[in-house]
Amino acid sequence: MKNFALIGAAGYIAPRHMKAIKDTENELVATLDRCDSVGIIDSFFPEASFFTEFERFDRHIDKLRRDKNTKIDYVSIATPNYLHDSHIRWALRSGADAICEKPLVLNPHNIDQLKIIEQETGKRVYNILQLRLHESIIALKEKVEKELKENPNRVYDIDLTYLTSRGKWYFISWKGDESKSGGIATNIGVHFYDMLTYIFGEVEENIVHLKTPYANAGYLKLKNARVRWFLSVKYDYIPDEIKAQGQRTYRSITVDGEEIEFSGGFTELHTRSYEEILKGNGFGLDEAYGSIETVSTIRKANAIGLVGDYHPFCTKVINE
């Protein structure tokens, strides 16, 4: 049994980490969050120590470190995006491996520095790239690999559309601050970019067509795919037929006009991720690098407008 600590215990995604630790029959020993709305801990590890101040949490972890039976083996990180880098560094220097939510960091140079700290400490950084473990994505990757063996030069046409409605709170919180979240493409798109490059190859061209507080859109030329993408947190852009069903989220990926069904199957992916990490098969810094470089480029790029091969949902924004 391994001992875990969790930073960001009050966050939206934290319960999935708690469940994964429980499902893999390990122990959550200590948790940290400056917000004390963490009653969810009782559903998983009621005996876990809880701290609202980092200094006291740090002291507690340091005390545990001196006993091989209580030392922390893994630190799970579910904090705001801009804090991931610092919390990963702290975990490694505290003698633990780090398991971090997406996006791992905000910029590629952060990964370069983390590689150095891995070497200094002998500890590892793992990123939750759960889409790589989704059954539909695994099946798509196998299909594409088979087709590319027959025709290595094949190029697929892909449309990625992800609309996840957010209320006014979103833009008041850290998620609405690009310096903290990395912006829409980073916050809600990074795992899609990772999945696409995982299947269709490295990014060769990265164009941004649209960049507003509510939506980002652009075009990626991958080794074996042309990708038109549109991401938004605005309810108005959701198709009427989806609204009529009472839904506030719309997710679609088409490959050569064929819809890839992966609307379900997400609830156990964190547990699957933890199982692989505990086997030594988790996704590390090298696997995270490409998607972080993609979102960093998008963040720094100027939008060129509706020029070239743009996603059709862009007209929803322009015409509103």
Side-chain angles (χ1 to χ4, degrees):
M1 187 174 68
K2 300 295 184 181
N3 291 327
F4 282 76
L6 171 64
I7 307 178
Y12 164 78
I13 206 68
R16 296 191 192 180
H17 288 269
M18 296 180 199
K19 183 178 185 299
I21 295 168
K22 190 81 170 178
D23 287 348
T24 53
E25 300 182 349
N26 293 295
E27 189 70 25
L28 180 60
V29 175
T31 60
L32 169 69
D33 203 296
R34 66 181 185 182
C35 175
D36 60 8
S37 297
V38 291
I40 188 66
I41 295 174
D42 286 347
S43 299
F44 298 99
F45 297 98
E47 299 304 314
S49 298
F50 173 66
F51 300 86
T52 59
E53 296 173 293
F54 178 80
E55 292 79 8
R56 292 182 175 182
F57 176 73
D58 176 43
R59 180 178 63 187
H60 182 70
I61 298 300
D62 189 57
K63 282 168 42 178
L64 297 180
R65 183 174 61 85
R66 303 178 190 285
D67 185 335
K68 66 179 182 179
N69 295 317
T70 62
K71 74 178 185 68
I72 300 300
D73 299 294
Y74 294 90
V75 175
S76 299
I77 299 164
T79 50
N81 301 348
Y82 71 106
L83 298 175
H84 289 176
D85 183 39
S86 294
H87 289 154
I88 292 169
R89 291 165 181 255
W90 175 85
L92 299 182
R93 289 170 174 154
S94 296
D97 291 333
I99 301 174
C100 188
E101 263 302 327
K102 60 82 185 169
L104 185 71
V105 290
L106 294 182
N107 296 291
H109 66 260
N110 299 133
I111 293 179
D112 296 332
Q113 293 301 309
L114 289 176
K115 285 185 177 182
I116 295 172
I117 301 173
E118 274 192 334
Q119 294 171 357
E120 292 174 347
T121 61
K123 297 300 176 180
R124 291 285 311 279
V125 180
Y126 297 102
N127 196 193
I128 299 293
L129 300 175
Q130 69 268 37
L131 284 186
R132 295 192 182 201
L133 302 177
H134 194 287
E135 290 184 0
S136 296
I137 302 307
I138 292 172
L140 176 61
K141 182 173 174 60
E142 291 174 350
K143 175 178 179 291
V144 169
E145 286 178 345
K146 181 180 179 180
E147 292 171 349
L148 289 177
K149 282 184 180 179
E150 299 172 357
N151 180 9
N153 297 319
R154 180 171 178 174
V155 178
Y156 298 80
D157 286 304
I158 299 172
D159 276 0
L160 163 64
T161 314
Y162 183 46
L163 314 176
T164 178
S165 305
R166 295 291 184 263
K168 294 180 180 179
W169 68 267
Y170 184 91
F171 296 97
I172 301 300
S173 76
W174 63 269
K175 294 185 179 184
D177 183 341
E178 186 175 283
S179 68
K180 294 181 177 180
S181 70
I184 288 175
T186 303
N187 200 43
I188 70 172
V190 65
H191 53 309
F192 290 110
Y193 303 128
D194 171 74
M195 178 268 289
L196 290 171
T197 54
Y198 177 57
I199 297 174
F200 297 99
E202 296 179 354
V203 175
E204 297 178 352
E205 187 176 17
N206 189 342
I207 296 171
V208 178
H209 291 119
L210 186 73
K211 191 183 290 186
T212 77
Y214 299 97
N216 284 182
Y219 170 88
L220 293 173
K221 173 64 175 71
L222 308 182
K223 180 181 179 183
N224 293 106
R226 294 179 288 260
V227 182
R228 301 188 300 184
W229 59 269
F230 183 92
L231 307 171
S232 178
V233 295
K234 191 169 185 177
Y235 176 74
D236 293 352
Y237 303 149
I238 291 180
D240 290 338
E241 62 271 22
I242 303 300
K243 293 178 183 177
Q245 298 172 21
Q247 298 182 24
R248 295 180 57 83
T249 297
Y250 175 68
R251 183 191 295 111
S252 171
I253 295 180
T254 62
V255 179
D256 287 345
E258 180 181 347
E259 187 76 31
I260 304 301
E261 173 54 44
F262 70 115
S263 56
F266 287 90
T267 55
E268 300 301 321
L269 291 183
H270 275 71
T271 295
R272 289 275 314 280
S273 297
Y274 271 65
E275 288 171 348
E276 293 302 316
I277 289 168
L278 289 163
K279 292 177 188 174
N281 300 328
F283 302 117
L285 296 177
D286 287 336
E287 286 86 354
Y289 198 95
S291 59
I292 298 303
E293 186 172 48
T294 297
V295 295
S296 177
T297 300
I298 291 170
R299 191 182 315 125
K300 296 170 184 175
N302 293 319
I304 65 171
L306 304 195
V307 178
D309 195 9
Y310 57 85
H311 194 289
F313 273 47
C314 289
T315 58
K316 289 176 176 279
V317 182
I318 299 301
N319 294 330
E320 69 175 350

